Amino acid sequence: MLDRVTDPFDAPSDAPSPAASRDAAPEYVLPLVVRIERADPPARTDALETAARAVLTLLADPRATEGEWAEVVEAWQDARIRKVVRRARGAEWRRAEALPGITVAGTAAEVRVHPPVPLDGWPKDLARLQVSGTELDDPEPPAAPAPGAPVLWVNPALEMSAGKAMAQAGHAAQLAWWELDATERAAWAGSGFALAVRTARPEVWEELAGSGLPVVRDAGFTEIAPGSCTVVADLPVLRAARR
C-alpha cells in the first residue's frame, strides 16, 4: 500500500488536511492477477516487470483517462494507492480474463490488471483468488539492464514475497508516471513501457534512496515495517531533471 503525496499548502487554513480528506474518501484497490500454472510458473523478475508494465498500461489507457474507467481510476488515485496481487491458473485465469481489464504479457509471465474496485467490493471471481504466499524464483540471475533503460531498483535489505514485490514495482512505476509530462509519457508508452526490475547492490541503495528519484515508502500493512523504502524508480529523464 502506498500513500500518495499531497501538498498541504493547497488547502485553506480552516480546511481539513489533505491526509484527513484522503483517509475519509472511499477506498479503492487496483487488482492485479498473475497467471501461475502449476507446471510452468513464470520467473520472479519477469513477473515483477510485467506487473509494473501492467499498471502503466492501465494508467495510459483511454478508458482510464476519459472513458468508462476514468471515474474509479480518479477516485482510486485521490485516496490511498492500493494494489493487491492475486494468483490464478486454469479456469480461475479464464474467469479473470472474462472480467473488464487488460492482460499484459512478459517473456513468459502474464498479468491481468483490472480497473479499481471498492476495497470491500471485489467481484466474486477475483475475491476467491489466493493472495498470500505468491512466491516465484529466478532460475538464473537476471542480466544487467539495457543501457539507458528505466530501472526499478528493489531494496536489497527487504524480504518480500513475489506478490508483495509485484505490487511495490507497480507503485514505483506509477510514481514515475506521475512525474512525467505528456511527451515523456507518450515516449515511454511508445517503447511498450520498456523497463527492468533489479535488486540494487547494498552499497548503492542508500545513494538511490536519497537521490530525489521517486521512492516507494510502504505503509507496512503486510510483510514489512511501516515506512520501509521498497523500490526506487530510476528513469534517465528523471535523473537528468535532478542534475
Side-chain angles (χ1 to χ4, degrees), residues 69-187:
W69 301 341
E71 185 175 350
V72 292
V73 169
E74 182 178 3
W76 167 64
Q77 293 194 103
D78 281 347
R80 293 183 183 272
I81 307 302
R82 298 192 68 167
K83 300 177 181 70
V84 172
V85 177
R86 296 177 183 262
R87 63 184 186 272
R89 64 173 182 263
E92 297 172 331
W93 175 255
R94 291 190 291 273
R95 286 193 291 267
E97 283 209 302
L99 296 172
I102 307 166
T103 297
V104 176
T107 302
E110 290 181 83
V111 174
R112 187 161 181 83
V113 57
H114 300 268
V117 299
L119 188 59
D120 57 356
W122 284 67
K124 64 179 181 179
D125 283 333
L126 297 182
R128 64 178 52 151
L129 299 176
Q130 291 292 319
V131 62
S132 61
T134 299
E135 196 48 82
L136 299 167
D137 297 310
D138 282 315
E140 301 289 341
V151 182
L152 309 179
W153 294 106
V154 179
N155 186 340
L158 298 177
E159 292 187 10
M160 295 183 283
S161 68
K164 177 74 171 182
M166 288 170 67
Q168 300 300 303
H171 291 335
Q174 187 168 1
L175 287 181
W177 181 255
W178 282 345
E179 292 207 18
L180 301 178
D181 62 30
T183 299
E184 292 162 344
R185 289 180 175 182

Side-chain angles (χ1 to χ4, degrees), residues 16-107:
S17 71
S21 298
R22 178 203 62 202
D23 290 344
E27 204 160 349
Y28 287 80
V29 60
L30 187 76
L32 295 158
V33 180
V34 56
R35 184 177 186 179
I36 304 181
E37 298 293 344
R38 195 186 306 273
D40 191 23
R44 180 184 174 98
T45 295
D46 188 14
L48 268 59
E49 292 173 349
T50 306
R53 290 194 297 109
V55 171
L56 293 167
T57 299
L58 179 130
L59 293 173
D61 193 286
R63 290 170 290 182
T65 58
E66 56 190 5
E68 63 263 37
W69 301 341
E71 185 175 350
V72 292
V73 169
E74 182 178 3
W76 167 64
Q77 293 194 103
D78 281 347
R80 293 183 183 272
I81 307 302
R82 298 192 68 167
K83 300 177 181 70
V84 172
V85 177
R86 296 177 183 262
R87 63 184 186 272
R89 64 173 182 263
E92 297 172 331
W93 175 255
R94 291 190 291 273
R95 286 193 291 267
E97 283 209 302
L99 296 172
I102 307 166
T103 297
V104 176
T107 302

